[in-house]
Amino acid sequence: MKLNTLLLGLFIVVILQSCTNKAEQTSSNQLSEQMKNQISSEIMEVSNQWINGNKNLNADKAIQFWSNSPDLRFAENGQFFANRDSIYATLNNYYSITNTLNVEWLNRKISPLSNSTALMSGEFHFSLNFKDGSSWQGTNAFTGVFIKENGEWSLIQGQETTRTNE
Amino acid sequence: MKTTSLFFAISLFVCFSCINNNNAPLSQQEKEKITSEVNAVMNSMKEGMKNLDSEAFEATFLLDNEFKYVRINGKVSDANAFLKEERNEFNNANKADFTFVSTDIRVIRPDFAIVTLIYHGTFYFQNSTVSFPDCGVTLGLVKTADGWKVIHLHESVQRSKFVVTKLN
């Protein structure tokens, strides 16, 4: 009887320990290097797809990984869009007056915060040739907060700022 | 035998609770508690800015190697650049006036939150003022042993430039 009780007590301790470990593993700063690398690689891929969607003037592809959550926020040069639909409409309007769009990442730094949250900061260069013959190019700084929803990374927060000479 | 069954039941309960907690979304009550904690940090930051109190302002940040600061001119910089800029303004200004509007706090995880806000304000220097006529800001905060800290700050001025006015 005593042995059974002791064994079961030990069993509970082991379960508690494993639960604590699991909780820590999914918290920030407790991710293994391997996990961090994997998350970084996944975010790199998602942000590449976003760039490709832009290059192809395909609003559906460009907005594909943006979260459908009402928590989504996105700002361009300090102006926050009302919601995902307004971002999509703006992209479509832009693409309808654009002949070619080229976008290239200059740098990206990804900070995995947990196995389902990551922060990205980076800079990209863009150049647009409009249908009216005018053009526009520049460099934007980008902040993105990514969360994993239904097994896929999506953007829950983004902000872009066009570089100025200040 | 009764003790064995009891321990077995407790084990199952503990096991189920752990699995459940790891996947469970935050309750409204938990979100409200975290929102209140993050809001207190935002207030400390604002007071630090208004009072040109570097210590109070900097205490709201986790200024390590991972910290990123996206300046209003669209450049990504680090904690050192952030501190240099902040101390230059705080040490040289005579007065500051800042207002945070549209502060929006979203709790993403129990240990991570995002804040968006618009602020406008003015630094008053001896011979000039620098006004920020509506800056859109994104802040990422993590919960540390020392409370909630900002690990990422991105700000963009809504107009093309901030306004510098020469006095006299």
Side-chain angles (χ1 to χ4, degrees):
Chain A
M1 182 64 177
K2 269 188 176 177
L3 183 65
N4 275 349
T5 310
L6 194 67
L7 282 173
L8 277 169
L10 200 61
F11 180 57
I12 291 172
V13 170
V14 169
I15 287 174
L16 275 172
Q17 185 63 35
S18 64
C19 284
T20 311
N21 281 345
K22 189 178 176 188
E24 280 178 357
Q25 199 181 11
T26 55
S27 295
S28 56
N29 301 325
Q30 295 296 327
L31 292 167
S32 67
E33 277 308 307
Q34 192 185 1
M35 193 65 180
K36 284 182 182 177
N37 290 338
Q38 188 189 326
I39 291 170
S40 296
S41 160
E42 289 171 1
I43 300 290
M44 290 291 252
E45 180 53 33
V46 166
S47 51
N48 282 339
Q49 285 170 17
W50 176 63
I51 289 287
N52 288 335
N54 274 289
K55 280 180 175 175
N56 296 327
L57 304 175
N58 185 334
D60 292 308
K61 285 280 180 195
I63 205 163
Q64 197 172 28
F65 73 97
W66 297 54
S67 175
N68 281 302
S69 159
D71 278 341
L72 170 68
R73 301 286 184 279
F74 182 68
E76 249 186 13
N77 293 319
Q79 305 270 8
F80 284 92
F81 285 85
N83 50 40
R84 193 178 192 267
D85 289 344
S86 61
I87 300 167
Y88 181 73
T90 302
L91 286 175
N92 261 330
N93 285 341
Y94 242 109
Y95 296 162
S96 69
I97 57 166
T98 304
N99 257 341
T100 60
L101 166 58
N102 191 41
V103 196
E104 300 292 341
W105 284 111
L106 300 175
N107 57 70
R108 280 171 283 181
K109 170 82 174 73
I110 294 153
S111 305
L113 301 172
S114 74
N115 57 4
S116 59
T117 322
L119 227 165
M120 186 184 105
S121 51
E123 291 168 310
F124 62 84
H125 184 265
F126 64 89
S127 58
L128 292 127
N129 290 308
F130 296 110
K131 288 177 178 170
D132 67 1
S134 62
S135 61
W136 179 38
Q137 62 172 318
T139 300
N140 273 10
F142 183 86
T143 289
V145 177
F146 294 83
I147 57 169
K148 217 161 198 181
E149 291 177 315
N150 304 319
E152 302 285 336
W153 288 103
S154 45
L155 188 86
I156 190 77
Q157 172 78 32
Q159 182 158 349
E160 283 181 28
T161 306
T162 303
R163 187 177 291 181
T164 62
N165 291 327
E166 175 275 321
Chain B
M1 189 59 186
K2 269 187 180 174
T3 317
T4 311
S5 304
L6 188 65
F7 270 120
F8 187 64
I10 291 170
S11 308
L12 283 175
F13 177 74
V14 168
C15 202
F16 176 77
S17 303
C18 287
I19 292 164
N20 213 26
N21 277 341
N22 279 333
N23 296 321
L26 286 163
S27 69
Q28 193 55 35
Q29 196 180 4
E30 286 169 318
K31 281 189 176 178
E32 282 169 11
K33 181 177 177 288
I34 293 171
T35 300
S36 162
E37 290 169 1
V38 171
N39 196 41
V41 175
M42 289 299 103
N43 285 334
S44 296
M45 180 187 287
K46 185 172 63 181
E47 289 306 306
M49 288 168 83
K50 283 169 83 170
N51 299 324
L52 299 171
D53 182 344
S54 285
E55 201 176 331
F57 179 73
E58 288 168 19
T60 59
F61 291 84
L62 181 62
L63 297 166
D64 61 8
N65 290 336
E66 292 289 307
F67 179 80
K68 288 285 173 287
Y69 169 44
V70 183
R71 301 181 69 234
I72 54 174
N73 65 358
K75 283 182 184 162
V76 181
S77 56
D78 60 11
N80 288 334
F82 172 74
L83 281 175
K84 188 179 171 187
E85 187 177 312
E86 176 258 311
R87 287 177 185 172
N88 182 47
E89 284 167 350
F90 280 34
N91 292 340
N92 292 314
N94 296 324
K95 195 180 102 174
D97 187 19
F98 276 92
T99 305
F100 286 8
V101 288
S102 312
T103 304
D104 171 33
I105 299 169
R106 278 154 301 136
V107 182
I108 304 298
R109 287 173 45 87
D111 57 1
F112 182 67
I114 305 170
V115 178
T116 58
L117 59 91
I118 308 290
Y119 79 78
H120 52 260
T122 304
F123 282 112
Y124 297 88
F125 299 98
Q126 194 174 356
N127 299 314
S128 64
T129 64
V130 177
S131 294
F132 300 87
D134 286 329
C135 284
V137 180
T138 294
L139 301 120
L141 294 95
V142 292
K143 189 167 192 176
T144 71
D146 195 23
W148 288 91
K149 303 283 179 188
V150 177
I151 59 164
H152 188 97
L153 167 63
H154 185 144
E155 53 186 5
S156 329
V157 67
Q158 288 184 347
R159 293 185 198 171
S160 59
K161 279 184 177 179
F162 57 84
V163 180
V164 180
T165 307
K166 293 279 182 196
L167 300 176
N168 62 51

